[in-house]
Amino acid sequence: MRRLGSVQRKMPCVFVTEVKEEPSTKREHQPFKVLATETISHKALDADIHSAIPTEKVDGTCCYVTTYKGQPYLWARLDRKPNKLAEKRFKNFLHSKQNSKGWVPVEKNNKQYCWHSSVVNYEFEIALVLRHHSDDPGLLEISAVPLSDLLEQTLELIGTNINGNPYGLGSKKHPLHLLIPHGAFQIRNLPTLKHNDLLSWFEGCREGKIEGIVWHCSDGCLIKVHRHHLGLCWPIPDTYMNSKPVIINMNLNNYVYAFDAKCLFNHFSKIDNQKFGRLKDIILNV
């Protein structure tokens, strides 16, 4: 299977959109909604949307893996609206480190990106990744993946302190965060590309209990539709991601004693090979 596209810019909607003067259900204090019409956009048609690969749009924050200091590094999307304290503390850092595309490397002790930092270990060059089990598409797997395997890919960071935690991971006392490669969760039985058919799919199918869809087109273009484009709510109580069992497959026996006692890699190593009914059921006892 070909490698799917990376998220480097804002994705257009698959449908032509229109603005309605009604309070947004997506953004608080926004006095309007952006809703999809029934017309497929020219961008989508030009990208041959009908032959594209549909995948789950995951609700998190975008990350990128590329080289920094001579080794694979996780980069965070630059926060352009930091609070005053963060702005004062990291102003020089951001100006000196950010690259031209709006990314900033995640340093180990950078408090602004501490949740990003929790899912990588630069000493062993590994990342904490959630994806489908290679032998069972109905099973999710949390594993330690070499950062070199993720080079030049974008991923979504999800978890306790990201975007209101729509997937219910961890707790305030024991936060839990994971990386998901973009395009990791392909959608197998999507209906025809019609407004009403997609609306019915989101409302009536178990597989439709997701934030949205991202189509990966053959030319590298990415096209999306969000539940809010169809007038539907997000987040929702029971997500499709939380309907599948998940297994821990760290395989870090040679490193387990080298990890900091409080790091996620150490906690997951202690429950290695254990299977849980859903992501929400994973409790890390520190």
Side-chain angles (χ1 to χ4, degrees):
M1 185 189 76
R2 64 181 173 87
R3 177 190 267 190
L4 300 185
S6 291
V7 178
Q8 296 286 354
R9 60 187 64 85
K10 190 174 179 64
M11 294 178 285
C13 181
V14 68
F15 296 108
V16 174
T17 57
E18 61 182 8
V19 176
K20 289 198 172 182
E21 293 184 7
E22 301 173 5
S24 173
T25 55
K26 183 178 182 181
R27 293 184 177 88
E28 192 176 0
H29 307 307
Q30 180 175 293
F32 61 88
K33 292 180 178 179
V34 179
L35 297 174
T37 66
E38 295 186 3
T39 304
I40 298 176
S41 71
H42 287 296
K43 285 185 179 180
L45 292 173
D46 289 345
D48 194 14
I49 190 70
H50 294 288
S51 64
I53 297 174
T55 69
E56 176 177 349
K57 183 182 186 302
V58 176
D59 188 1
T61 185
C62 191
C63 304
Y64 177 47
V65 176
T66 192
T67 304
Y68 177 62
K69 294 183 177 180
Q71 70 176 93
Y73 243 74
L74 184 69
W75 293 60
R77 181 75 80 186
L78 179 62
D79 182 2
R80 301 196 179 279
K81 293 183 180 179
N83 61 44
K84 291 183 179 179
L85 176 62
E87 187 174 16
K88 182 178 180 181
R89 184 177 296 169
F90 297 112
K91 184 176 180 180
N92 292 335
F93 172 82
L94 295 176
H95 281 296
S96 63
K97 303 296 186 185
Q98 74 178 92
N99 71 0
S100 60
K101 292 188 177 181
W103 301 98
V104 59
V106 175
E107 300 277 18
K108 182 177 180 180
N109 297 315
N110 187 334
K111 292 182 179 180
Q112 186 177 9
Y113 299 105
C114 59
W115 309 123
H116 295 70
S117 180
S118 71
V119 297
V120 290
N121 183 296
Y122 293 130
E123 182 180 357
F124 300 111
E125 298 190 4
I126 52 178
L128 202 55
V129 172
L130 172 69
R131 55 191 176 184
H132 283 129
H133 192 280
S134 58
D135 297 326
D136 183 357
L139 178 66
L140 297 177
E141 177 185 67
I142 295 173
S143 59
V145 175
L147 279 165
S148 58
D149 289 356
L150 304 171
L151 271 172
E152 305 311 318
Q153 294 186 47
T154 55
L155 310 93
E156 203 77 3
L157 177 69
I158 65 169
T160 310
N161 296 291
I162 305 296
N163 282 9
N165 195 17
Y167 306 107
L169 300 187
S171 65
K172 185 175 182 179
K173 186 176 180 181
H174 304 307
L176 169 57
H177 299 86
L178 301 165
L179 289 169
I180 301 176
H182 286 144
F185 299 150
Q186 292 192 26
I187 300 170
R188 302 296 178 184
N189 299 302
L190 197 65
T192 56
L193 193 52
K194 295 181 179 179
H195 185 285
N196 287 341
D197 290 345
L198 286 178
L199 181 61
S200 297
W201 182 81
F202 274 114
E203 288 186 307
C205 290
R206 186 172 71 109
E207 293 84 355
K209 294 183 180 296
I210 59 178
E211 186 199 19
I213 303 166
V214 175
W215 285 268
H216 293 250
C217 304
S218 58
D219 63 356
C221 184
L222 301 178
I223 308 288
K224 73 177 179 182
V225 68
H226 193 289
R227 292 178 71 93
H228 288 122
H229 287 131
L230 303 174
L232 299 175
C233 291
W234 180 266
I236 55 177
D238 300 307
T239 62
Y240 182 49
M241 194 182 297
N242 259 310
S243 71
K244 296 182 178 183
V246 56
I247 192 168
I248 313 302
N249 186 16
M250 299 300 287
N251 194 27
L252 294 173
N253 294 333
N254 295 333
Y255 310 122
V256 65
Y257 296 109
F259 292 125
D260 183 282
K262 294 182 179 180
C263 82
L264 286 177
F265 293 93
N266 182 56
H267 296 319
F268 275 110
S269 293
K270 290 180 179 178
I271 56 173
D272 200 11
N273 300 315
Q274 290 190 34
K275 190 175 181 180
F276 298 85
R278 55 183 185 168
L279 283 170
K280 283 184 178 180
D281 296 336
I282 300 175
I283 305 296
L284 300 178
N285 295 316
V286 180

